[in-house]
Amino acid sequence: MLDTLLHNGVVRRVAQSVFTLFGVAVVVFVVLRAIPGDQITANLGTEAAALTPDQRAALESYYGLDQPLLTQFFGWLGNILTGNLGFSARAQTSVADLTLQALPVTFELAVLSILLALVIGIPLGMLSASRPNSARDATGQVVGLAGLSVPAFLLATTLTSVLASRFGFNPNGEPFARFFDDPLLNLQQMLLPSLVLGFGVAAPILRTTRTAVLEVASDDFVRTARAKGVPARRLQIRHVLRNALVPIATMTGLQFGYLLGGAVVVEQIFSIPGIGRQVLLGIQQNEYALVQSTVLVIALAFVLVNLLTDLLYRIIDPRVRAA
Amino acid sequence: MSNGLRTTAIGAVVAMSLTLAACSDAPRDETGSGGGSDAGTADAQAGGDLVIGATSDPDTLFPWRATQFQAVQLLGNVYGTLTELDENLEVVPGLAESWEVSPDGLTVTFQLREGVTFADGSAFDSADVVYSLEAIRDEATAAVAASTLARVSAVAAPDPSTVELTLSTPDSGLFANLSTVNMAILSSDDTEEALNTQPNGTGPFTFQARVPNQSVTLARNDAYWGEPALLDTVEFRVIPDESSIVSAMQSGNVQMAVFDDPLVADTATGPDLTVAETPQLSYHVLQLNARRGPLADVNARLAIQCAIDRQQVLDTAALGEGEVTGPITSPAYKSDPDARPCPTRDLDQAREYLADAGLADGFALDTIVSQGEYATSVNEAQNLQAQLAEVGIELTFTPLESGAYVDRWIAADFDAAVALNGGRPEPDGMYGRYFTSDGNLNQVAGYSSPELDDLFAQGLQATDEGKRKEIYDQVARHLEDNAAWVWLFTSYTYTVTTNTLQGFVPMANGSLQYLRTAGFTG
């Protein structure tokens, strides 16, 4: 069993992931402390100049800044291993608590966006590929280009302001509703942000689909199948698409990982209390514990998605399994 | 690239870019007060829930350490202070019904209001005042307004409704300074830990609920000692993006918001919305460090003052939205902006001053600029650079992320700083800490003189308002004549409200204390 696992490189991949996470932890810890200012100046701003040495010392001990850096680093890592992500002085609650609130929101947003992106991207990509360099292909390419080049913030602000001022439709102006509390309002609130994100993600999926389908379509086995008289539709779905799925899955996994990192801008504009906004708030306030732990959670999500994508290849494409 | 390596690289890039994004920050100025415009209170009725759009969550619920606007605005409605300011920034009674100053100015006796209770139902008396003032004075508390009590040598409570302060030197500025929420009176039974999550004050509203990063809700305090508020609840809803707040107002989800940026306020249009413009106490200024390089010579500083057309800075950097100002911005003590050596730009005079300083060929001015903290900073620096270049002064500026700016500002590591500083209603509170030689921000101010020390001391001793105004006019005049800094302009804030909301009065210090008189019509 262990031999098989080793052979499949799964253990190696997991070890790599752990190493990756440790690297992220070190980088985020160091970079945060390299930023000028600390939590005291972040909170008090220029007023911090008026603190007496004793007042500053009192605040440093309150925020735990009086500890040596190595103690802070290993203390933090040690706590994380026991599930303690630290405490947010601003929110007066544990970072784990905040993250458990924020993560499902971002997860839902990412899933909806990816679904939308797949629904738009795969059929359009296949359409484009079905007749390369035709008007149909050009249309697909233009949609792809638009998805890649229109910035999310522009699309998001335009959508909200037009819908709000013309039609009074602005579900995101209401308090955020969690799916299990109020599914109807929740889906309304998720609609625009996942459209904006999904549109952006659809573009790379569309392009990947087009390229992959074109490539597979010229493979020998497709030619053989066509010669044997397999109907066109069946040929497209069963033979071409199935074999084109590997690159599409890779691209989807990658995009999903990015989305789990929190679409900071979109979450900000639509007031979605997800993980991206949590990091942004932490950065604004120099809340070390919050930023460090949240970034680590995001990195973990990214690594897991990558692992899963890898495993998925093995299911879709037996050639990978054999390799 | 292997998958492991790829994820390491991507993870690192995510982390780096997230941290590098730390460029913007919430506003973070303490301010004083000014005159507000009067809103009609005609038909406002009791009841109703008001939603206020805020770009950021309060960063703390503990009043003694709150400096962020959102926190100060929120907590000002929950906590009570010994004195208060009215809409014209005049000191009026708060938890202290009246006060008396002994003839030598060294004893202040407060008569406390009776029948006041905290939100948790416990009674308020002199023990709470003594506890609060002692704790604020204690450096271990790290209360931001501790310096307000710097001249207090003892606090005593002869009986439950009397508090007596013994001062080391007279302090006329004390009463206005006691009105900020940083001087909130807490219950002597409370701890900071408890108050961090459950504020317990004597104000017109009580704390009801908080969802971190999403909203804070206050409810009317029916046991409030003053006229009870009309609104049932006030919710501060966090909508991080300003244009999203505008959309939320247009669709009716949010009924009130305050903006700094005239461009955003301009978009808040609609048949149901009203915008009120309020001049602010905070001021835009070119801080000069008179303890460094050529600026040690008053003539070099005066040359800078004469070479700058303030209206031009205001027009180019802030679209003319504001007023040219002298040092003191509060209505009661307002400085005449023209009382300075060069009331209007005078390049010949500037060159003459440069020659007097022995710098006829000009000099370089290493200037720090805070980027992202407020919209106009870099534009101001660019305009100042262009204007000063005409007399040969080369302003080189470094735009800094707010943390880096604050670090260098605190260390006074600059020749000049483009700054937006918070103002206060009381001129001693506003400038005493900067321009007296033992003031705790004097190093940053970069200037002091025996004359100023003497004037500030006189200002604290004088009890007559006319006399005080005269003294602070002299302070302002001295600052301008010596070009300690170059004061530029004050800007506005824009309060956007739904037309059905009446009775709210915006204040120059940004306080939302008049939520207590606000209500909906029909």
Side-chain angles (χ1 to χ4, degrees):
Chain A
M1 175 72 186
L2 188 65
D3 274 357
T4 340
L5 279 179
L6 274 177
H7 182 68
N8 282 347
V10 172
V11 167
R12 193 166 49 93
R13 291 283 288 110
V14 170
Q16 276 176 349
S17 305
V18 171
F19 183 73
T20 304
L21 291 176
F22 185 77
V24 170
V26 172
V27 169
V28 73
F29 186 88
V30 171
V31 171
L32 261 188
R33 276 151 189 83
I35 300 175
D38 53 24
Q39 194 158 355
I40 300 172
T41 49
N43 284 338
L44 298 182
T46 51
E47 278 297 292
L51 291 174
T52 64
D54 284 345
Q55 284 184 317
R56 178 165 269 279
L59 284 176
E60 279 176 354
S61 108
Y62 178 78
Y63 292 119
L65 302 175
D66 51 349
Q67 305 287 326
L69 280 186
L70 278 180
T71 317
Q72 289 185 37
F73 181 71
F74 286 107
W76 168 57
L77 270 193
N79 281 335
I80 282 192
L81 293 180
T82 62
N84 175 2
L85 301 189
F87 187 78
S88 162
R90 175 197 179 97
Q92 285 294 314
T93 175
S94 71
V95 174
D97 234 36
L98 287 175
T99 306
L100 283 179
Q101 297 287 314
L103 209 51
V105 174
T106 297
F107 187 76
E108 185 194 351
L109 184 60
V111 169
L112 290 176
S113 308
I114 284 288
L115 284 180
L116 272 169
L118 290 175
V119 166
I120 302 171
I122 293 186
L124 278 182
M126 288 181 68
L127 268 181
S128 277
S130 67
R131 213 168 288 159
N133 305 321
S134 65
R136 189 194 274 180
D137 187 20
T139 314
Q141 298 282 11
V142 166
V143 172
L145 199 64
L148 282 177
S149 51
V150 176
F153 79 89
L154 186 67
L155 191 58
T157 40
T158 311
L159 272 177
T160 37
S161 63
V162 169
L163 289 176
S165 58
R166 295 275 165 77
F167 304 102
F169 177 76
N170 183 22
N172 300 89
E174 291 179 51
F176 181 77
R178 289 177 176 277
F179 183 78
F180 292 105
D181 295 341
D182 186 347
L184 199 66
L185 181 57
N186 172 273
L187 288 177
Q188 284 181 44
Q189 291 181 329
M190 286 293 185
L191 178 69
L192 293 180
S194 43
L195 262 179
V196 170
L197 287 174
F199 187 54
V201 174
I205 290 182
L206 184 158
R207 296 186 143 210
T208 312
T209 308
R210 179 181 179 275
T211 315
V213 166
L214 279 178
E215 211 167 279
V216 174
S218 63
D219 276 357
D220 291 345
F221 76 90
V222 176
R223 213 172 313 129
T224 314
R226 194 178 289 127
K228 280 166 68 181
V230 175
R233 179 170 296 266
R234 195 180 145 90
L235 184 78
Q236 278 294 327
I237 310 268
R238 285 288 299 272
H239 296 264
V240 178
L241 184 59
R242 178 150 183 205
N243 284 287
L245 271 182
V246 172
I248 297 174
T250 315
M251 181 50 78
T252 308
L254 202 63
Q255 296 292 334
F256 189 65
Y258 283 130
L259 289 176
L260 281 186
V264 177
V265 172
V266 168
E267 288 184 357
Q268 187 82 345
I269 292 175
F270 291 102
S271 312
I272 303 288
I275 204 94
R277 232 179 88 191
Q278 177 167 317
V279 176
L280 190 68
L281 277 171
I283 291 171
Q284 285 175 345
Q285 291 295 320
N286 268 353
E287 281 213 79
Y288 294 157
L290 184 65
V291 180
Q292 283 166 194
S293 301
T294 312
V295 167
L296 211 54
V297 168
I298 291 172
L300 178 67
F302 201 96
V303 164
L304 283 180
V305 168
N306 258 281
L307 266 176
L308 283 179
T309 319
D310 266 11
L311 293 178
L312 205 63
Y313 295 155
R314 292 158 210 263
I315 297 166
I316 304 176
D317 190 345
R319 283 171 299 184
V320 179
R321 216 176 312 163
Chain B
M1 197 188 264
S2 83
N3 273 327
L5 211 59
R6 192 183 63 205
T7 37
T8 311
I10 291 167
V13 168
V14 166
M16 300 271 271
S17 50
L18 289 172
T19 11
L20 287 175
C23 288
S24 68
D25 213 318
R28 63 227 332 230
D29 255 335
E30 104 292 350
T31 41
S33 255
S37 61
D38 228 27
T41 51
D43 318 309
Q45 295 163 3
D49 303 307
L50 172 65
V51 179
I52 300 177
T55 50
S56 174
D57 218 12
D59 63 357
T60 176
L61 293 179
F62 189 60
W64 294 343
R65 232 177 270 146
T67 53
Q68 180 213 31
F69 268 131
Q70 282 85 351
V72 168
Q73 288 174 338
L74 174 92
L75 296 171
N77 285 290
V78 175
Y79 284 97
T81 43
L82 285 176
T83 62
E84 291 183 4
L85 299 175
D86 66 8
E87 59 190 273
N88 301 313
L89 302 186
E90 307 276 350
V91 179
V92 293
L95 289 173
E97 217 164 27
S98 63
W99 48 89
E100 253 174 53
V101 182
S102 66
D104 63 1
L106 296 179
T107 310
V108 181
T109 312
F110 289 98
Q111 209 55 49
L112 303 182
R113 208 172 283 278
E114 292 186 40
V116 176
T117 54
F118 285 94
D120 67 359
S122 65
F124 157 84
D125 67 16
S126 59
D128 301 309
V129 179
V130 173
Y131 159 78
S132 298
L133 299 188
E134 291 288 7
I136 290 172
R137 260 151 54 89
D138 182 1
E139 298 200 327
T141 312
V144 290
S147 61
T148 291
L149 301 175
R151 295 180 187 82
V152 174
S153 54
V155 185
D159 66 64
S161 60
T162 311
V163 169
E164 208 175 84
L165 301 188
T166 311
L167 307 182
S168 51
T169 56
D171 186 356
S172 294
L174 178 68
F175 305 102
N177 292 338
L178 284 174
S179 67
T180 107
V181 75
N182 296 143
M183 297 296 299
I185 303 300
L186 312 185
S187 160
S188 54
D189 301 328
D190 268 319
T191 61
E192 179 183 342
E193 205 184 0
L195 295 176
N196 272 333
T197 51
Q198 184 66 43
N200 179 31
T202 57
F205 290 92
T206 59
F207 176 84
Q208 194 178 52
R210 175 182 194 197
V211 184
N213 302 341
Q214 289 186 57
S215 66
V216 178
T217 309
L218 307 181
R220 178 178 52 238
N221 176 6
D222 289 314
Y224 181 55
W225 55 264
E227 197 69 33
L230 294 171
L231 297 165
D232 289 334
T233 65
V234 177
E235 179 191 337
F236 292 81
R237 185 174 302 162
V238 181
I239 301 177
D241 182 67
E242 289 198 328
S243 60
S244 302
I245 297 185
V246 172
S247 327
M249 294 196 75
Q250 285 164 338
S251 58
N253 300 121
V254 167
Q255 294 88 39
M256 178 173 161
V258 181
F259 300 109
D260 297 323
D261 188 344
L263 291 176
V264 175
D266 273 355
T267 62
T269 51
D272 305 328
L273 301 178
T274 309
V275 182
E277 212 175 70
T278 319
Q280 291 301 288
L281 291 183
S282 52
Y283 54 95
H284 297 256
V285 66
L286 181 66
Q287 272 186 238
L288 302 177
N289 188 348
R291 301 206 173 103
R292 210 158 105 156
L295 293 183
D297 187 334
V298 62
N299 289 304
R301 303 197 302 270
L302 285 167
I304 295 173
Q305 191 191 70
C306 287
I308 294 173
D309 177 351
R310 292 166 289 169
Q311 189 64 44
Q312 195 192 107
V313 182
L314 173 59
D315 289 343
T316 53
L319 308 169
E321 291 273 336
E323 288 160 14
V324 163
T325 188
I328 301 175
T329 52
S330 70
Y333 293 92
K334 203 173 188 112
S335 301
D336 173 5
D338 292 334
R340 53 162 64 183
C342 287
T344 53
R345 191 177 195 217
D346 187 339
L347 293 180
D348 292 333
Q349 183 69 54
R351 289 193 189 96
E352 221 166 280
Y353 279 127
L354 278 178
D356 289 347
L359 296 163
D361 296 335
F363 60 95
L365 203 60
D366 171 21
T367 306
I368 58 169
V369 179
S370 165
Q371 191 171 38
E373 200 180 350
Y374 56 101
T376 53
S377 56
V378 175
N379 298 345
E380 287 174 44
Q382 284 170 340
N383 184 258
L384 290 169
Q385 186 178 48
Q387 294 200 42
L388 290 174
E390 288 183 48
V391 293
I393 300 172
E394 190 199 344
L395 185 150
T396 50
F397 67 88
T398 320
L400 295 167
E401 182 273 322
S402 72
Y405 176 86
V406 169
D407 276 0
R408 284 189 62 185
W409 192 85
I410 289 176
D413 179 18
F414 55 82
D415 292 336
V418 175
L420 169 61
N421 288 345
R424 292 191 184 184
E426 214 289 317
D428 182 75
M430 186 158 168
Y431 286 122
R433 57 204 198 131
Y434 280 117
F435 292 116
T436 53
S437 39
D438 59 354
N440 54 15
L441 294 178
N442 185 247
Q443 198 207 343
V444 177
Y447 180 84
S448 65
S449 70
E451 296 83 30
L452 273 182
D453 287 350
D454 184 47
L455 283 171
F456 276 107
Q458 287 181 35
L460 289 177
Q461 277 165 33
T463 44
D464 175 67
E465 278 307 305
K467 178 78 184 143
R468 293 196 85 209
K469 164 89 173 108
E470 216 173 274
I471 292 168
Y472 290 109
D473 279 348
Q474 289 181 52
V475 167
R477 197 59 214 249
H478 182 100
L479 291 171
E480 294 275 39
D481 285 348
N482 291 282
W485 294 349
V486 182
W487 279 265
L488 301 171
F489 63 94
T490 55
S491 35
Y492 302 123
T493 58
Y494 306 85
T495 310
V496 185
T497 50
T498 296
N499 293 340
T500 52
L501 184 75
Q502 295 291 323
F504 176 77
V505 188
M507 289 173 69
N509 59 356
S511 162
L512 300 183
Q513 72 179 41
Y514 283 100
L515 285 176
R516 66 178 78 167
T517 57
F520 288 106
T521 56

